[in-house]
Amino acid sequence: MMEHLNMQSMDKVAANVAKIRELFPNCVTERINNEGKLEHAIDFDMLKQELSDHVVDGLQERYQFTWPDKRKAILAANAPINKTLRPCREESVDFDNTENLYIEGDNLEVLKLLQETYLGKVKMIYIDPPYNTGNDFVYRDEFKQNASEYKDNSGQYDDDGNQMVTNTESNGRFHTDWLNMIYPRLKLAKDLLSDDGVIFISIDDNEVDNLRKICDEIFGESNFIAHMVHKNNSMKNQSKYVGVSTEYILIYSKSYEVLSLKQPNWRASKKGAKDVNLMYTKLKKQGLCLDEIRENIMEMYSKPKYSHLSRWNKVDEIGVFKDADLSRDNGPKDYTIINPNTGKPCVIPSRGWGKSYEELLRLQANDLIWYGDEDTPPGQKSYLTEESESVFDNFIFADTAADKKLIISMFGREVFEFPKSLDMLMQIISLCTNKNDIIMDFFSGSATTAHALMNLNFNDKEKRKFIMVQLPELINPERVTSEKSKKVAKNAIAFLDSINKPHNICEIGKERIRRAGQKIKEENPLTTQDLDIGFRVLKCDSSNMEDVYFTPKEYMDKQQNLFVDNIKADRSDEDLLFDAMLKLDTPLSSKIEKITIAGKTVYNVAQGHLMACFDKNVTDEVITAIAQEMPSYFVMRDSSQADDSVAINFEQIFNTYSPQTVRRVL
């Protein structure tokens, strides 16, 4: 496409800034101009210093990390919102029994809504936020000075209903938008983590340094755990000089001290090793050759239960092994050993040997060297045993080609261009979680995290629970730039049409969870009766309460009379129940029992933790029966009481039977 002719005269200031940026890049910063737009600007104090041979007086230097609108980003994390989460039974799987949640909505709003109920209860958070590449989508939040303004302007939508804006190439050079997006979300995420909780954040080169600074500020430098290197087997060609095939995962704890007490170390799991070794022994007894045995072992690794063992991908007459690195930085290069397969000297590792000559000879004598071909340095054989576990390495490999094949096998076509690594997520979830831990991903995408969690629960018979959060971003081929991305978007739309679903990312994620869970059940019918493959769908929406509830002064008395009660007419009793659960310390995955008392519907949540009745004309008999159950919380409509006498007796009844119950009306 031809570019439009610029009908404006040259911007000399911008041209001069560009020249200075070329000479003194450290003197160019970012600021918001008078029109509220982001632009490059000169740090004149720094420029003076660059052009002076002595220390120039100026602002006092101090260690800090800041950017335009940082204080407003902090405000965005703290500002209240008038929103709720509404249950959607028809899109859920096993709604009444599952303990998993899939939440659709802007994750900043969802994180705020979860603060009361899930404060300090999430064991692990993994996120893969949008990368600041200049083409990806970035959330844009409205920064307002008070709650009512924030409520009115909590999101920007385009004509298609997308609450997102494109970080265009011209704006992609700037870090400010991305920092303002991620900062408030991480502040809120920290509060959800348990004291021994951990957060893993995937990121690439563009923002890894800034993200490290942000996390040091939010979580504290002392709670930094690791800066992992995440290598994949496909190169990204965004650079004309180096094909990049690595990304990163930053790991921070809520409290390193608490984590150290509860989990003094993390060990890479080798569960399933016994099954693999039994398979090796069985096949060897059948007389299969080593190549055939290896082929069968690799077939085992294609199943979720054994995928974490895929690095043990070689076999010999002794057993199944992997080749461990025999090199180290600045190691000696003045000796080598002979490859008995070729009779030639082995290739010396480029970094140098990590073993002495004598140790190499000892390993060779004990047949513990894997030689490979004549152009490859040898490795040390490391056999797969049931007991062998090691501290988790900060270098982790992801087979991106395998993950794309998995998506194609599940959907019949490539419907997601950059799926997260299933194997990688299974590894990191297994490091720091077990039993009934809650794992959250609030940039859920194709829901790989949920898929990995179900696989792990099947493998080790644990009952971890997931909370996936995803903005229902519309899939639109016209909003992407590359032909490959357009093709994938069209594939996704065609697939969603085939199952009669709307064209948004959430539908891809939910369908993946359904299919992944069903596949595990179908392949293992005898051992998955208790495996939770369901999820409750909740959707972030405006408050259940009419506007008059929040701003009664704005309504005249005669207008207020138009409202029968404060609750919107289109909201169901179950909507009100989940709103109460959010506000009253009741997990959204709690078991809900619907019972009838004196002809009225009463909800019993989490075995009496919360009871609620939203029917009209509630009598003393109903209130008495509920009070006798002694729930921790009770909720009803303000307009539900049958007459004034019920209102008068309400408190007295509870004071008689259950004075400790917290009572609330809507």
Side-chain angles (χ1 to χ4, degrees), residues 232-283:
N232 55 60
N233 57 354
S234 64
M235 290 188 177
K236 295 182 178 179
N237 296 315
Q238 67 263 36
S239 171
K240 66 176 69 174
Y241 301 112
V242 177
V244 179
S245 61
T246 55
E247 295 174 350
Y248 309 97
I249 300 176
L250 296 186
I251 312 175
Y252 281 80
S253 60
K254 175 75 168 288
S255 170
Y256 193 88
E257 182 178 354
V258 174
L259 181 64
S260 298
L261 290 173
K262 292 193 174 184
Q263 290 183 295
N265 52 47
W266 287 347
R267 298 285 177 178
S269 173
K270 305 269 191 309
K271 293 179 180 178
K274 181 178 180 179
D275 294 343
V276 175
N277 288 324
L278 285 174
M279 172 65 78
Y280 170 88
T281 302
K282 176 182 176 181
L283 296 175

Side-chain angles (χ1 to χ4, degrees), residues 597-598 600 616-625 636 640-643 646 653:
I597 299 176
K600 303 300 179 184
K616 296 180 179 179
N617 300 317
V618 175
T619 63
D620 285 353
E621 181 183 358
V622 177
I623 298 297
T624 301
M636 66 185 299
S640 291
Q641 299 165 85
D643 51 46
V646 175
I653 293 172

Side-chain angles (χ1 to χ4, degrees), residues 34 37 56 150 201 301 337 355 376-377 388 452 525 532 550 609 625 631:
N34 294 332
K37 296 181 180 179
V56 176
Y150 186 90
I201 311 171
Y301 292 161
I337 54 176
K355 305 284 186 181
T376 304
S388 61
D532 185 358
F550 300 103
H609 179 73

Side-chain angles (χ1 to χ4, degrees), residues 429-481:
I429 293 173
S430 67
L431 286 180
C432 57
T433 69
N434 51 47
K435 297 181 180 177
N436 297 310
D437 288 338
I438 298 174
I439 290 86
M440 172 182 279
D441 183 345
F442 54 85
F443 287 98
S444 174
S446 65
T448 311
T449 304
H451 189 168
L453 182 143
M454 290 189 298
N455 282 351
L456 275 177
N457 282 347
F458 166 65
N459 290 347
D460 56 23
K461 310 308 177 189
E462 300 285 11
K463 294 184 180 295
R464 303 174 187 87
K465 298 169 282 248
F466 66 71
I467 301 177
M468 300 292 105
V469 183
Q470 176 60 42
L471 185 75
E473 175 197 347
L474 294 181
I475 301 171
N476 185 347
E478 301 308 315
R479 296 186 60 148
V480 293
T481 54

Side-chain angles (χ1 to χ4, degrees), residues 326 355 358-369 371 380-381:
L326 281 171
K355 305 284 186 181
E358 292 73 21
E359 180 65 9
L360 287 175
L361 291 176
R362 186 191 70 79
L363 292 172
Q364 189 174 48
N366 288 282
D367 194 22
L368 293 175
I369 297 288
Y371 298 97
Q380 180 177 347
K381 292 181 180 179

Side-chain angles (χ1 to χ4, degrees), residues 336-350:
T336 189
I337 54 176
I338 300 298
N339 183 337
N341 299 327
T342 65
K344 298 179 181 179
C346 289
V347 174
I348 298 172
S350 59

